[in-house]
């Protein structure tokens, strides 16, 4: 490439993105893909092996006719500064995660790519913040952003949890500045994310323009590569509606292809979609391989099937699963689709080759690398301490990440390590066949007791709001086994939702429960609400929508459709979150002081150690 052309791409990189961001998306013509551009060569990939794709391109050559690139991708980090505990910190038996270790592995893989003369870029697929442990959440996720800056993240899509505190707060995380209420708590200001958050399908209602940048363009050894980023269209149903009133969330396929049309117009022929939506492998085998695509299914399959063939790579997320797949795009050619689980336990290492003449992808290969943080025994097992916790490997700690993390750990320690109660055994958020979990029972009971003064008779808890289990042996602050700290409680319930009690008729309560199932009241995903002691019901999953729930009773007395009941939920549910629009019909709403975590803390510290919930309140008959 001549110097003048190289300078031209530099100008494009600086000017094209803001220009594209100002385009009126609704007026962009939707072009049908050219299937002749991406015919797959024979590939020996199977769903049980790391994905590898080659394309037959006219004029494709070797050596100086190709440009080599690399992507390091991850998703659903959720501010996991410390290594996750329990099963969330294991990848097929290997202890993994923690930002000091994630940073080490990113730098290691980046160095390997550089040694191969590859241009390496680090990317994310949303939910980097939100639903975070206290060490990040107490500072409005500024620690997570600073640590991702330090790790060299360059581009990420938004996810649904980026909207947990609303659109104004998301813009602050991108641009910097002190929090409007709490200020800059760490005393040294906040400069915002160095990486670009992309939100192509999140559009302002008053202007029709994207809330944040929709696309980014990076030059890989002289060849432009376009990045489009977005969250799932269904984000409004899984975040608090109050924070997103000024925006709408548009269709993923239409949005991606419209921006692809504009990218092609400025000469970009290779594109990467960063999207907070995904799928999952299924058994067999068990466990699934980190690089596998066994019996794969999920919303991302249909999304990829509608994409233009220029999208050779899709870095996905949201489902917290790991996979490495090739899925057919709109031309029938393969697109490489990856996900790195959650909480920084994996990094996806994607190598690709570009044809300089056409500007298109020539080869793509991807693998998931475990962010190991443990110490191996001679027999290959992992060392544990006297309490059964994994021993972390100090040789794998990144010093720069540790310095930042320790600053916040020190600041939050007096709050996080305060013992607030006791448990008798592990209390997990693993659901039984009816969809009821032991921890769901405990949290519902906690909210019922917390709102007794408001006349509460029944409490309902959304399962997605229970982010972790409580582990008897976990001792983050050195406390005795069975002691539960405030920080552990916050890891379980990190959203700071309000707790509200409102009046529903028995008939309305039944409709709320019917709305747990797909097909009733606009519900698109089955979500079984956790219920408090004394309230019971049955459901038959084979019945028609609206007729699945029966035998509703409170303390053994059947629920009267005409009578009224005081029902407690968090405000996310009360405002229609998770698709429970029937809850918005409640009347005489009363809001308890504090947050949902305060209800849990009060329950755990009320008396004797708390035992796991009985998981016998919901009966599935078929």
């Amino acid at each position: 490439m001549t110097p003048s052309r190289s300078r031209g791409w530099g100008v494009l990189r600086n000017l094209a993105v803001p220009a594209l961001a100002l385009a009126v998306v609704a007026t962009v013509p939707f072009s049908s893909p050219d299937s002749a551009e991406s015919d797959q060569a024979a590939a020996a990939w199977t769903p049980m092996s790391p994905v590898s794709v080659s394309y037959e391109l006219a004029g494709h050559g070797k050596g100086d006719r190709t440009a080599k690139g690399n992507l390091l991708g991850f998703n659903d980090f959720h501010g996991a500064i410390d290594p996750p505990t329990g099963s969330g910190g294991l990848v097929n038996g290997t202890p993994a995660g923690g930002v000091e270790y994630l940073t080490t592995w990113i730098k290691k893989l980046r160095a390997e790519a550089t040694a191969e003369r590859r241009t390496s870029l680090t990317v994310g697929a949303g939910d980097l913040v939100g639903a975070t442990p206290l060490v990040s959440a107490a500072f409005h996720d500024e620690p997570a952003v600073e640590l991702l800056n330090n790790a060299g993240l360059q581009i990420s899509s938004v996810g649904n949890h980026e909207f947990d505190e609303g659109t104004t707060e998301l813009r602050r995380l991108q641009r910097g500045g002190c929090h409007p209420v709490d200020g800059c708590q760490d005393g040294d200001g906040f400069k915002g994310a160095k990486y670009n958050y992309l939100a192509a399908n999140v559009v302002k209602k008053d202007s029709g323009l994207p809330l944040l940048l929709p696309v980014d363009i990076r030059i890989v050894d002289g060849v432009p590569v376009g990045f489009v980023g977005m969250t799932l269209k269904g984000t409004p149903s899984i975040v608090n509606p109050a924070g997103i009133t000024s925006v709408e969330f548009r269709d993923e396929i239409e949005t991606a292809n419209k921006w692809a049309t504009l990218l092609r117009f400025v000469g970009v022929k290779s594109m990467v979609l960063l999207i907070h939506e995904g799928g999952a492998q299924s058994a067999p085998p068990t466990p699934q391989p980190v690089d596998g695509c066994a019996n794969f299914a999920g919303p991302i399959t249909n999304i990829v099937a509608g994409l233009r063939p220029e999208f050779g790579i899709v870095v996905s997320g949201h489902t917290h699963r790991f996979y490495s797949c090739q899925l057919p795009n709109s031309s029938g050619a393969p697109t490489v689709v990856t996900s790195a689980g959650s909480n920084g336990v994996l990094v996806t290492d994607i190598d690709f080759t570009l044809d300089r003449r056409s500007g298109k992808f020539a080869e793509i290969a991807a693998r998931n690398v475990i962010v190991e943080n443990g110490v191996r025994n001679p027999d290959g097992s992992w060392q544990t301490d006297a309490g059964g916790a994994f021993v972390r490997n100090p040789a794998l700690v990144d010093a720069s990440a540790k310095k930042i993390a320790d600053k916040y750990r020190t600041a939050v320690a007096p709050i996080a390590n305060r013992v607030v109660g006791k448990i008798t055994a592990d209390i997990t958020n693993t659901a039984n066949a009816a969809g009821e979990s032991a921890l769901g029972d405990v949290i519902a009971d906690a909210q019922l007791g917390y709102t007794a003064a408001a006349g509460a008779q029944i409490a309902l808890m959304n399962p997605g709001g229970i982010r972790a289990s409580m582990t008897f042996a976990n001792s983050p602050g050195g406390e005795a086994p069975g002691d539960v700290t405030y920080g552990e409680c916050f890891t379980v319930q990190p959203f700071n939702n309000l707790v509200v009690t409102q009046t529903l008729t028995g008939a309305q309560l039944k409709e709320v429960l019917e709305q747990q199932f797909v097909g009733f009241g606009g519900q698109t995903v089955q979500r079984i609400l956790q219920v408090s002691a004394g309230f019971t019901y049955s459901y038959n999953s084979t019945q028609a929508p609206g007729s699945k729930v029966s035998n509703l009773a409170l303390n053994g007395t059947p629920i009267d459709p005409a009578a009224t009941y005081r029902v407690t939920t968090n405000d996310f549910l009360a405002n229609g979150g998770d698709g429970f629009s029937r809850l918005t019909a409640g009347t005489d709403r009363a809001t308890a002081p504090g947050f949902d975590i305060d209800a849990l803390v009060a329950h755990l510290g009320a008396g004797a150690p708390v035992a796991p919930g009985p998981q016998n309140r919901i009966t599935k008959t078929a």
Side-chain angles (χ1 to χ4, degrees):
M1 177 174 287
T2 65
S4 61
R5 187 180 178 191
S6 179
R7 286 195 300 272
W9 280 122
V11 172
L12 175 64
R13 168 89 181 47
N14 291 322
L15 297 181
V17 172
L20 289 171
L22 293 174
V24 179
V25 183
T27 64
V28 176
F30 181 80
S31 311
S32 60
D34 181 359
S35 61
E37 293 183 350
S38 299
D39 296 323
Q40 181 193 13
W45 175 76
T46 72
M48 299 301 295
S49 62
V51 65
S52 181
V53 173
S54 296
Y55 300 93
E56 290 285 359
L57 298 172
H60 172 49
K62 302 294 183 182
D64 60 359
R65 294 184 180 179
T66 61
K68 297 195 297 183
N70 168 262
L71 297 180
L72 301 175
F74 56 93
N75 50 277
D76 296 273
F77 176 61
H78 290 293
I81 291 173
D82 297 315
T85 59
S87 60
L90 289 172
V91 179
N92 292 350
T94 299
V99 74
E100 293 143 314
Y101 307 95
L102 174 64
T103 305
T104 292
W105 283 95
I106 288 174
K107 288 182 177 180
K108 178 180 182 292
L109 295 170
R110 188 180 294 140
E112 291 175 358
T114 301
E116 296 176 1
R117 299 183 182 277
R118 294 184 178 276
T119 301
S120 184
L121 301 167
T122 304
V123 301
D127 277 11
L128 306 181
V129 300
T132 52
L134 186 63
V135 66
S136 184
F139 305 96
H140 298 281
D141 282 328
E142 292 172 18
V145 172
E146 290 180 14
L147 284 158
L148 293 171
N149 286 344
N150 179 70
L153 182 64
Q154 293 162 284
I155 315 167
S156 180
S157 70
V158 294
N160 54 284
H161 281 289
E162 266 77 15
F163 294 91
D164 281 350
E165 293 192 46
T167 56
T168 300
E169 174 64 1
L170 173 56
R171 287 195 295 266
R172 185 186 75 87
L173 290 179
Q174 174 70 89
R175 299 167 184 171
C178 295
H179 189 272
V181 176
D182 295 328
C184 286
Q185 296 166 279
D186 64 350
D188 62 4
F190 177 62
K191 297 180 180 179
K194 294 180 181 178
Y195 51 93
N196 286 336
Y197 263 129
L198 304 184
N201 68 330
V202 186
V203 177
K204 299 176 187 177
K205 290 179 179 178
D206 61 356
S207 66
L209 299 177
L211 175 70
L212 299 171
L213 289 176
V215 301
D216 200 342
I217 301 170
R218 301 289 168 133
I219 308 305
V220 176
D221 196 13
V223 180
V225 176
F227 293 81
V228 179
M230 64 183 72
T231 186
L232 69 156
K233 182 182 178 181
T235 291
S237 69
I238 51 177
V239 302
N240 199 319
I244 56 171
T245 57
S246 64
V247 295
E248 61 180 284
F249 295 78
R250 293 187 172 174
D251 182 78
E252 302 97 336
I253 298 172
E254 290 183 6
T255 302
N257 287 338
K258 285 179 178 181
W259 287 109
T261 299
L262 286 178
L263 286 168
R264 279 181 56 89
F265 180 76
V266 296
V268 179
K269 302 296 180 62
S270 295
M271 301 176 199
V272 177
L273 179 63
L274 308 175
I275 182 169
H276 192 69
E277 180 62 288
Q281 302 185 67
S282 300
T286 301
Q288 283 82 45
V290 296
D291 289 318
C293 192
N295 302 300
F296 186 82
I300 196 65
T301 302
N302 290 334
I303 292 172
V304 173
L307 294 179
R308 291 189 59 99
E310 290 88 352
F311 286 107
I313 300 171
V314 173
V315 179
S316 65
H318 188 54
T319 59
H320 289 202
R321 304 297 184 90
F322 46 72
Y323 46 83
S324 170
C325 299
Q326 63 178 53
L327 301 176
N329 57 42
S330 63
S331 73
T335 291
V336 170
V337 183
T338 69
S339 177
S342 64
N343 294 306
V345 298
L346 292 159
V347 177
T348 307
D349 185 15
I350 306 171
D351 287 342
F352 60 90
T353 301
L354 301 164
D355 182 79
R356 291 186 183 278
R357 292 185 176 180
S358 65
K360 301 172 185 176
F361 286 114
E363 297 173 338
I364 306 169
R367 64 185 180 119
N368 277 324
V369 178
I370 300 176
V371 178
E372 295 181 9
N373 62 24
V375 178
R376 282 193 184 273
N377 293 311
D379 64 358
S381 62
W382 297 96
Q383 289 185 22
T384 57
D385 61 20
F390 287 105
V391 175
R392 308 301 179 185
N393 190 342
L396 294 175
V397 171
D398 179 83
S400 63
K402 185 177 188 304
K403 181 178 179 180
I404 299 170
D406 280 351
K407 177 182 73 169
Y408 289 106
R409 288 171 179 144
T410 299
V412 81
I415 301 172
N417 294 335
R418 177 170 60 91
V419 174
V420 298
K422 296 178 181 291
I423 56 177
T424 64
D426 291 352
I427 306 180
T428 77
N429 60 352
T430 301
N432 61 15
E436 184 178 355
S437 74
L439 187 51
D441 288 350
V442 169
I443 291 174
D445 290 349
Q447 294 188 2
L448 180 66
Y450 194 66
T451 54
Q457 298 166 279
I458 299 166
L460 306 174
M461 175 64 192
N462 56 308
I466 307 172
R467 304 302 294 188
S469 298
M470 286 188 170
T471 305
F472 183 83
N474 190 35
S475 300
E479 68 279 3
D483 285 353
V484 180
T485 65
Y486 185 87
E488 290 177 277
C489 290
F490 199 91
T491 298
V492 171
Q493 287 188 274
F495 295 109
N496 274 341
N497 287 319
L498 301 174
V499 183
V500 300
T501 305
Q502 55 186 340
T503 298
L504 298 172
T505 66
Q508 288 173 322
L509 178 60
K510 182 179 184 295
E511 287 197 339
V512 169
L513 298 179
E514 294 287 1
Q515 209 165 23
Q516 296 175 117
F517 305 101
V518 175
F520 181 79
Q523 184 61 272
T524 58
V525 178
Q526 178 171 304
R527 297 182 175 93
I528 302 299
L529 297 171
Q530 308 300 288
V531 303
S532 56
F535 181 62
T536 57
Y537 72 93
S538 302
Y539 72 87
N540 184 330
S541 62
T542 67
Q543 295 299 310
S547 302
K548 297 181 185 291
V549 177
S550 61
N551 301 323
L552 285 73
L554 181 60
N555 298 319
T557 302
I559 293 292
D560 181 352
T564 58
Y565 300 87
R566 294 289 283 167
V567 179
T568 293
T569 67
N570 57 46
D571 66 327
F572 165 73
L573 279 176
N575 292 336
D578 273 352
F580 287 96
S581 59
R582 292 298 196 269
L583 278 169
T584 63
T587 59
D588 192 21
R589 182 181 293 196
T591 301
F595 300 104
D596 51 2
I597 186 175
D598 297 311
L600 180 59
V601 166
H603 185 69
L604 292 172
V610 174
Q615 296 179 267
N616 62 358
R617 301 165 185 177
I618 305 171
T619 300
K620 181 180 179 180
T621 60

